[in-house]
Amino acid sequence: MKSDSDQIQVKGEKMQRFVCKFGGSSLADAGQFRKVADIIKARPVRKYIVVSAPGKRNDDDIKVTDMLYSCYYSADAKQDYSIILGQIRDRFAEIIDGLSISFDLDAEIEEIKKNLSEHPMKDYMASRGEYLNAKIMAKFLGFEFVDAADAVRFDQNGQFLPEQTNRDLNAILSGKEYVVIPGFYGARPDGQIQTFSRGGSDITGSIVARAIFADMYENWTDVSGMLSADPRIIKDPHPILALSYRELRELSYMGASVLHEDAVFPIRKANIPLNIRNTNHPDDPGTLISAELPRVPRKHKVTGIAGKKGFSAILIEKSSMNNEVGFGMKLLKIFADHGVSFEHTPTGIDTMSVVVQNNLFNPYRDVITEEINNELHPDSYYIEDNLALIAVVGQGMAYSRGTAARIMNALAGARINIKMIDQGSTEINIILGVDEVDYEEAIRAIYNAVM
Amino acid sequence: MKSDSDQIQVKGEKMQRFVCKFGGSSLADAGQFRKVADIIKARPVRKYIVVSAPGKRNDDDIKVTDMLYSCYYSADAKQDYSIILGQIRDRFAEIIDGLSISFDLDAEIEEIKKNLSEHPMKDYMASRGEYLNAKIMAKFLGFEFVDAADAVRFDQNGQFLPEQTNRDLNAILSGKEYVVIPGFYGARPDGQIQTFSRGGSDITGSIVARAIFADMYENWTDVSGMLSADPRIIKDPHPILALSYRELRELSYMGASVLHEDAVFPIRKANIPLNIRNTNHPDDPGTLISAELPRVPRKHKVTGIAGKKGFSAILIEKSSMNNEVGFGMKLLKIFADHGVSFEHTPTGIDTMSVVVQNNLFNPYRDVITEEINNELHPDSYYIEDNLALIAVVGQGMAYSRGTAARIMNALAGARINIKMIDQGSTEINIILGVDEVDYEEAIRAIYNAVM
């Protein structure tokens, strides 16, 4: 553990506090644990560590959490779970041995076995990977272990309680520094363990960051940050060094793979920057996400390109609809009445389209069609399926004049028909609709034109 | 008047019936009357003639209808109207003399004077220009005069009755060919003259065309058809030879000067083509407007460019609004509740803009702002005034890939910031938003790029 004098040596950083969350692949074995420890020790501001369960060591490996679920299902079905629990024990024993620390693993396994026999609980069992990893990491680092069950609060129905959690986390952690907290879970009022349904340990890291007023939330993964396009479509897309929370939201909404929205929400609200880093390449700067536009000038006006298939456009044509006050509202109400949220509503002079996710729309296709015909009496009504949407996102685009032109040129050059264009006033994105068959080609054309 | 044998000489045309409407400048003096007669006699299909009142003979001239209004106001104020009525009489006398026809103008003027003294009626008086012109033209052509007061029906509140008119016009005209009908007016059930509030004689021509199942509605003016852009902005824009009713609607909605919507509606509904022609250049083909895309290939993918200033964009930003079913509907409902119709609703991921006409929005600016804040709790709310919209219209664009690119390029080249782009699925237009100060320059840049 760092002493006060150690901290003083790093000027200006002494008072700062970073929350560092390490994902499963960063903690898959003892070698990864050592990398993580080196990262943490490299900067004394890395005071609050949140850990996942051990992930896969290679493509054929099994995540510890998946083994824990298997173990639970066997126990719940009154079948023999000793072999699988033995395998779980072996994974942790290997880590402990590799780190050369003293850790009473058998006592922990006995405790798990006891709970499993008396009253098997799925969430409790699923959470043991994080729990043990946090205890082992705390021991290895010489940090204090704080159990998430003591501060991360759910109600008796399993609903997360963000404000109570924030208060309790702050109370527990405010006097402490250099702690390790398991991710992924918390507890109900009766003490029963409850896991997050989405976002997992990323959420724990985020709510800890909010509770302790962190200066930074470092999210350590196995990639060097976000990529500016889908690597399955673009070969070696360049990484995004910095982007705003708004850009992040737009890219991730449109399919860019990044932290779950629930994990971003607490830190975005609290205005805490997020740094996505690579445990295996700790010198890579990763991606820095913050509220403001990055101060460094960016090479590209476009920050990233993302997209999704599976949309439908419902096109309504009616003479003089512009003069019919409330027409658009009535049209959108029909969709809202069936719980179908819309993505875009391109409007011509006498036309209005509603672009929706196909899977949301399909169950209500007939009834929505019927209601539109009965209530709005359109001159014509047409549904276009197999639409893909592409978002070209970049806060710099709002002040740039040539980006839209370059995008259109690129698509024209690739002979791709643009089905829809949506760019709003003071927008930081352009949304394009293309036929699904043109999707990958359109992404490639745009990427090559603007990146 | 043409005999049956004359008609047979024009093959295939015998059974056809054209309605020809001539505007004020086409009937400003005897010379113009002769040009009109030549046009009518040139094709025997020109059987139903609708006339305006005599227009200006030169820039300093006064339209007869304006003189008639003056005369009425004088009479209504019990002032001496004899001088102005004398001037009106002189205008018609000059035409009659120039045409060398026998016409009892004094009897007509006496009748007007009598009505004016006994019970001055504004609409009656305003309509006398068309009435006399139609009678003179009928005499000159040897056609039958049919008074619009006998067939064009209004209710006792002055509301036009399109279906009753259609029935009565059809009944009166179905047995007749080669008739002249005054435009601009009809009558209430009690016989009182009622003029159209908008569209004037163009409407009369259109409803006559509908009633007699015309093959063509020729609208003769002093321009050789529609222009592809505003000549105040573009020097000598090329004329539009042919366009569809849908393109016409889009261009005229966005400010292109052409027949009033009320005059287009009856013939569009009845699928009757409209030909805008120039009385002073009868060999010019003018602009042909029809339901289908013209069969001749068109040189330009873009048919026309039109635009308007005076819009505002209300930009709402709210995290995760896409997940809030009904958000867009609630937003539009606030505008609809105040009778403010919207033009466009560009939507980003967490943003939605509502583009409205500034003059409709301004009276409700505060209350709409308040309701949006209270009901939708946006993260941010911003109004951008001084927005101009430009519509680039062309049915060919839907099948063309390069047009959007050329437009964007042109605007980028002119260093014009695009505030909004709206192009819907299977649309025939692209709507662009630019700052009002950039409006004329943007039109020029687009015109030069796509025309």
Side-chain angles (χ1 to χ4, degrees):
Chain A
M1 185 174 169
K2 294 274 168 188
S3 70
D4 277 348
S5 60
D6 283 337
Q7 288 175 54
I8 285 163
Q9 286 164 20
V10 182
K11 275 188 190 155
E13 286 209 340
K14 187 182 124 186
M15 300 298 290
Q16 286 194 27
R17 14 171 86 183
F18 282 21
V19 171
C20 304
K21 180 260 171 180
F22 293 89
S25 65
S26 301
L27 300 160
D29 58 26
Q32 292 298 88
F33 265 69
R34 288 189 186 279
K35 282 188 196 169
V36 167
D38 287 345
I39 289 165
I40 293 166
K41 300 287 182 179
R43 288 188 69 182
V45 291
R46 293 179 175 137
K47 297 173 182 171
Y48 301 86
I49 313 303
V50 174
V51 296
S52 292
K56 290 184 182 185
R57 290 161 296 186
N58 54 60
D59 282 354
D60 300 326
D61 205 10
I62 302 168
K63 288 181 185 176
V64 164
T65 305
D66 290 336
M67 296 163 80
L68 289 163
Y69 277 121
S70 289
C71 192
Y72 160 76
Y73 286 121
S74 294
D76 193 48
K78 310 285 181 211
Q79 290 170 357
D80 180 21
Y81 58 81
S82 60
I83 292 171
I84 182 119
L85 188 60
Q87 289 169 341
I88 294 165
R89 191 201 168 283
D90 291 348
R91 280 292 299 268
F92 285 106
E94 209 178 289
I95 292 169
I96 291 161
D97 291 349
L99 298 176
S100 309
I101 52 171
S102 71
F103 188 89
D104 193 353
L105 182 60
D106 288 330
E108 298 288 352
I109 297 294
E110 273 312 304
E111 171 78 12
I112 291 171
K113 199 185 269 179
K114 180 166 163 278
N115 279 309
L116 207 49
S117 303
E118 285 171 8
H119 38 79
M121 300 271 209
K122 192 171 147 189
D123 282 15
Y124 164 79
M125 198 58 191
S127 71
R128 292 306 92 185
E130 280 77 8
Y131 172 83
L132 287 174
N133 251 7
K135 280 199 147 178
I136 294 166
M137 183 59 86
K139 188 89 182 188
F140 184 53
L141 292 170
F143 281 22
E144 183 176 350
F145 169 77
V146 172
D147 194 351
D150 296 335
V152 176
R153 306 297 182 191
F154 291 82
D155 70 14
Q156 208 51 46
N157 299 314
Q159 193 74 34
F160 177 56
L161 300 169
E163 297 314 317
Q164 194 180 326
T165 297
N166 194 46
R167 202 171 54 237
D168 291 357
L169 265 177
N170 178 267
I172 288 181
L173 296 176
S174 60
K176 295 180 166 59
E177 284 193 331
Y178 305 108
V179 299
V180 182
I181 305 151
F184 186 41
Y185 72 94
R188 300 185 181 195
D190 64 2
Q192 190 186 321
I193 296 293
Q194 173 77 43
T195 59
F196 288 108
S197 54
R198 297 170 303 192
S201 297
D202 288 333
I203 296 190
T204 309
S206 185
I207 59 182
V208 169
R210 181 189 165 205
I212 62 148
F213 306 98
D215 298 286
M216 176 75 78
Y217 175 27
E218 288 184 340
N219 191 289
W220 292 82
T221 65
D222 55 359
V223 292
S224 288
M226 283 178 72
L227 296 171
S228 54
D230 186 340
R232 291 166 300 184
I233 300 172
I234 304 292
K235 192 175 179 316
D236 294 329
H238 72 72
I240 302 175
L241 287 179
L243 76 167
S244 68
Y245 273 113
R246 205 170 144 200
E247 291 174 323
L248 173 75
R249 159 81 183 146
E250 308 217 344
L251 286 170
S252 58
Y253 182 83
M254 286 301 284
S257 155
V258 74
L259 299 205
H260 190 279
E261 178 64 20
D262 291 355
V264 174
F265 185 75
I267 44 173
R268 181 180 180 171
K269 271 281 183 194
N271 216 355
I272 297 166
L274 164 66
N275 194 1
I276 298 175
R277 301 288 292 266
N278 190 341
T279 300
N280 301 317
H281 294 97
D283 294 335
D284 284 353
T287 299
L288 181 65
I289 303 151
S290 52
E292 316 93 55
L293 260 175
R295 281 176 220 107
V296 287
R298 292 193 288 180
K299 194 176 159 202
H300 307 286
K301 300 252 163 50
V302 169
T303 302
I305 302 165
K308 280 195 233 177
K309 295 182 180 181
F311 294 94
S312 296
I314 295 90
L315 175 75
I316 316 282
E317 195 173 341
K318 186 176 187 184
S319 227
S320 303
M321 70 162 66
N322 294 57
N323 308 332
E324 212 174 303
V325 174
F327 186 92
M329 181 270 288
K330 282 179 220 152
L331 177 58
L332 294 186
K333 184 171 186 305
I334 291 172
F335 286 85
D337 285 349
H338 297 288
V340 179
S341 61
F342 70 91
E343 306 292 321
H344 299 278
T345 54
T347 40
I349 304 304
D350 285 336
T351 60
M352 185 166 170
S353 296
V354 182
V355 177
V356 293
Q357 289 179 43
N358 192 277
N359 62 344
L360 295 180
F361 172 61
N362 257 344
Y364 304 100
R365 181 180 283 257
D366 292 344
V367 60
I368 285 175
T369 297
E370 197 185 318
E371 287 179 20
I372 286 172
N373 281 324
N374 291 346
E375 292 169 31
L376 298 175
H377 312 289
D379 296 340
S380 79
Y381 174 90
Y382 175 72
I383 301 174
E384 180 165 28
D385 291 315
N386 307 318
L387 196 65
L389 295 185
I390 298 169
V392 185
V393 174
Q395 227 149 325
M397 285 166 58
Y399 313 102
S400 142
R401 295 184 186 88
T403 312
R406 279 206 301 282
I407 293 168
M408 303 303 150
N409 270 340
L411 294 173
R415 306 189 62 73
I416 290 165
N417 209 346
I418 304 170
K419 300 269 183 173
M420 188 199 101
I421 308 172
D422 197 338
Q423 187 210 308
S425 208
T426 67
E427 278 300 323
I428 65 158
N429 63 38
I430 296 178
I431 313 268
L432 300 153
V434 299
D435 196 288
E436 285 183 350
V437 299
D438 293 328
Y439 174 70
E440 286 82 5
E441 194 51 39
I443 298 254
R444 278 189 285 265
I446 295 168
Y447 184 89
N448 291 330
V450 299
M451 289 298 190
Chain B
M1 186 174 167
K2 294 274 170 183
S3 71
D4 277 349
S5 61
D6 282 337
Q7 287 176 50
I8 285 164
Q9 287 164 19
V10 182
K11 275 188 188 155
E13 286 209 339
K14 189 182 120 184
M15 301 299 289
Q16 285 194 29
R17 15 171 85 185
F18 281 22
V19 171
C20 304
K21 179 262 173 179
F22 293 89
S25 65
S26 302
L27 300 160
D29 58 26
Q32 292 297 87
F33 265 69
R34 289 190 186 276
K35 282 187 196 169
V36 167
D38 288 345
I39 289 165
I40 293 166
K41 300 287 183 177
R43 288 188 68 184
V45 292
R46 292 178 175 138
K47 297 171 181 172
Y48 302 85
I49 313 303
V50 174
V51 296
S52 293
K56 292 183 181 185
R57 292 160 295 186
N58 54 60
D59 281 353
D60 300 326
D61 206 8
I62 302 169
K63 289 181 185 177
V64 164
T65 304
D66 290 336
M67 296 163 79
L68 290 163
Y69 277 119
S70 289
C71 192
Y72 159 77
Y73 287 119
S74 295
D76 192 50
K78 309 285 181 210
Q79 291 170 356
D80 181 22
Y81 57 81
S82 60
I83 292 170
I84 181 117
L85 188 60
Q87 289 169 339
I88 293 165
R89 190 203 167 284
D90 291 348
R91 282 291 300 266
F92 285 107
E94 210 178 288
I95 292 169
I96 292 161
D97 290 350
L99 298 176
S100 308
I101 52 171
S102 70
F103 188 91
D104 192 352
L105 181 61
D106 289 331
E108 298 289 351
I109 298 293
E110 274 311 305
E111 172 78 13
I112 291 169
K113 201 184 267 179
K114 181 166 164 278
N115 280 310
L116 208 48
S117 303
E118 286 172 9
H119 37 79
M121 300 273 209
K122 190 170 148 192
D123 282 14
Y124 163 79
M125 197 57 191
S127 73
R128 292 306 92 184
E130 280 77 9
Y131 172 84
L132 287 174
N133 250 6
K135 278 198 148 177
I136 294 165
M137 183 58 87
K139 187 89 180 189
F140 184 54
L141 292 170
F143 282 22
E144 182 177 349
F145 169 77
V146 171
D147 193 352
D150 295 335
V152 177
R153 305 298 182 192
F154 290 82
D155 70 13
Q156 208 52 44
N157 299 316
Q159 193 74 34
F160 177 56
L161 300 168
E163 297 314 317
Q164 193 179 327
T165 298
N166 194 46
R167 202 172 53 237
D168 291 358
L169 265 176
N170 179 269
I172 287 181
L173 296 176
S174 61
K176 294 180 166 60
E177 285 193 329
Y178 304 107
V179 299
V180 182
I181 306 151
F184 187 41
Y185 72 94
R188 300 183 180 196
D190 64 2
Q192 188 186 322
I193 296 293
Q194 172 76 45
T195 58
F196 288 108
S197 54
R198 297 169 302 193
S201 297
D202 288 333
I203 296 190
T204 309
S206 185
I207 61 183
V208 169
R210 180 189 166 205
I212 62 149
F213 306 99
D215 298 286
M216 178 74 78
Y217 175 26
E218 289 184 340
N219 191 290
W220 292 82
T221 64
D222 54 0
V223 292
S224 289
M226 283 179 70
L227 297 171
S228 53
D230 186 339
R232 290 167 299 183
I233 300 172
I234 304 292
K235 192 174 179 317
D236 294 329
H238 72 74
I240 302 174
L241 286 179
L243 77 165
S244 69
Y245 273 114
R246 205 170 146 200
E247 291 174 324
L248 173 74
R249 159 81 182 145
E250 308 217 343
L251 287 170
S252 58
Y253 182 83
M254 285 301 285
S257 154
V258 73
L259 299 203
H260 191 278
E261 178 65 19
D262 291 355
V264 174
F265 186 75
I267 45 172
R268 181 181 181 172
K269 270 282 183 194
N271 214 355
I272 297 166
L274 164 65
N275 194 0
I276 298 175
R277 300 288 291 266
N278 189 341
T279 300
N280 301 317
H281 295 97
D283 294 334
D284 284 353
T287 300
L288 181 64
I289 303 151
S290 53
E292 316 93 54
L293 259 174
R295 279 175 220 106
V296 287
R298 292 192 286 180
K299 194 176 157 201
H300 307 286
K301 302 252 165 50
V302 170
T303 303
I305 302 165
K308 279 195 234 178
K309 295 181 180 182
F311 294 93
S312 296
I314 295 89
L315 176 75
I316 316 283
E317 195 173 341
K318 186 176 185 182
S319 226
S320 304
M321 70 162 64
N322 294 56
N323 308 332
E324 211 176 305
V325 174
F327 186 91
M329 181 270 288
K330 283 179 219 153
L331 177 59
L332 294 185
K333 184 171 187 302
I334 291 172
F335 287 84
D337 284 349
H338 297 288
V340 179
S341 61
F342 69 91
E343 306 292 322
H344 299 279
T345 53
T347 39
I349 305 304
D350 284 335
T351 59
M352 186 166 170
S353 296
V354 182
V355 177
V356 293
Q357 290 178 44
N358 192 277
N359 61 344
L360 295 180
F361 172 63
N362 257 344
Y364 304 100
R365 181 181 282 258
D366 292 342
V367 61
I368 285 175
T369 297
E370 195 184 319
E371 288 178 22
I372 287 173
N373 282 324
N374 291 345
E375 292 169 31
L376 298 175
H377 311 289
D379 296 340
S380 80
Y381 174 90
Y382 174 72
I383 300 174
E384 180 164 28
D385 291 315
N386 309 319
L387 196 65
L389 295 184
I390 298 170
V392 186
V393 174
Q395 227 147 326
M397 284 165 57
Y399 312 103
S400 141
R401 296 186 185 86
T403 312
R406 279 206 300 283
I407 293 168
M408 302 304 149
N409 270 342
L411 293 173
R415 305 190 63 73
I416 290 165
N417 209 347
I418 305 170
K419 299 268 183 174
M420 188 198 102
I421 308 172
D422 197 339
Q423 187 210 309
S425 209
T426 68
E427 279 299 323
I428 65 160
N429 64 37
I430 296 178
I431 314 268
L432 300 154
V434 298
D435 197 288
E436 285 183 349
V437 298
D438 292 328
Y439 174 70
E440 286 82 4
E441 193 52 39
I443 298 254
R444 279 189 285 267
I446 295 168
Y447 184 90
N448 291 331
V450 299
M451 289 296 191

